[in-house]
Amino acid sequence: MMNFRQMEDLCALLYSDGLMRELLQLAKSDVLHCALVVRLFTCLSIHTAAVRYIVFHGVLEMLFALMKTRNDEIIYSILMVFVRVLSRKEHIKSFVAKGGVLCICQLFPSAPVSHRCMLLQVLTSLSLSKHAGPQLCDLNMLETIYNLANSLDQLTDSFNLKFCKAILSNLKIWSRH
């Protein structure tokens, strides 16, 4: 396991030598390379130093664009990165400013059931934020999550139901503003 300083050095190396740009270009070439690059960022995103690079050096925007690939494995890995980025509250504003809320809301209705838990984690983090909460309300996510919560089975989907209830509670606050 790398320590914080080693990860920071690795990220600086990736960025300063132009490797980050090369990786971003490689991800656009085909699905296999895209999956490998996304997997790299998924692994890197467990480190605070790497999350800073993901947010501030063009990786986040690339991940938003790659969400349109419709490759379920790639999208799931990207959602893992988003959960890790949003777990650091200082990055939520950047995530929102770069179009993250709209990206997630567009993906939500057509996402496979296997992605639901990860999407709900992302939406829970966003619904807590004064930057994203009102935007989620404007995009009718209150109604979407309410409908989802009503369709979930209380026994088999209890984990997802907890996320839905948290999101609904948070969004009701923002809908009053």
Side-chain angles (χ1 to χ4, degrees):
M1 188 76 157
M2 297 177 103
N3 66 32
F4 182 82
R5 184 71 192 142
Q6 291 168 322
M7 182 53 66
E8 206 166 50
D9 291 344
L10 173 63
C11 290
L13 177 70
L14 285 171
Y15 191 73
S16 67
D17 288 347
L19 292 173
M20 195 72 80
R21 274 191 308 281
E22 293 297 321
L23 285 171
L24 298 177
Q25 283 305 112
L26 188 61
K28 295 175 186 174
S29 64
D30 61 53
V31 174
L32 177 62
H33 287 102
C34 179
L36 291 171
V37 171
V38 169
R39 182 83 56 188
L40 170 68
F41 288 120
T42 304
C43 293
L44 289 174
S45 69
I46 63 170
H47 296 278
T48 304
V51 169
R52 259 198 326 270
Y53 280 88
I54 288 169
V55 172
F56 297 115
H57 294 289
V59 178
L60 205 52
E61 292 88 335
M62 179 213 52
L63 294 175
F64 292 147
L66 292 177
M67 293 290 281
K68 296 177 179 120
T69 65
R70 290 294 173 222
N71 178 301
D72 289 342
E73 184 181 327
I74 291 170
I75 291 172
Y76 191 81
S77 294
I78 292 171
L79 289 171
M80 286 178 65
V81 175
F82 290 169
V83 167
R84 291 173 181 161
V85 166
L86 294 171
S87 70
R88 292 159 177 92
K89 291 181 179 158
E90 67 271 18
H91 297 310
I92 292 176
K93 186 176 180 181
S94 295
F95 185 88
V96 172
K98 294 175 184 202
V101 172
L102 184 59
C103 178
I104 294 299
C105 290
Q106 288 173 338
L107 174 68
F108 194 81
S110 62
V113 174
S114 60
H115 291 34
R116 187 176 288 156
C117 185
M118 200 66 72
L119 275 164
L120 289 172
Q121 286 180 57
V122 169
L123 286 168
T124 301
S125 294
L126 290 171
S127 70
L128 289 166
S129 165
K130 67 179 179 182
H131 304 291
Q135 197 174 351
L136 288 168
C137 290
D138 292 344
L139 293 168
N140 294 324
M141 287 309 287
L142 189 62
E143 184 179 337
T144 302
I145 298 298
Y146 180 78
N147 291 337
L148 173 63
N150 285 333
S151 72
L152 294 175
D153 181 273
Q154 290 192 355
L155 294 175
T156 58
D157 286 324
S158 63
F159 196 62
N160 288 335
L161 199 53
K162 287 178 186 176
F163 281 122
C164 287
K165 288 179 180 179
I167 294 166
L168 288 170
S169 175
N170 296 334
L171 291 183
K172 284 178 185 174
I173 293 167
W174 297 119
S175 69
R176 292 185 211 138
H177 289 276

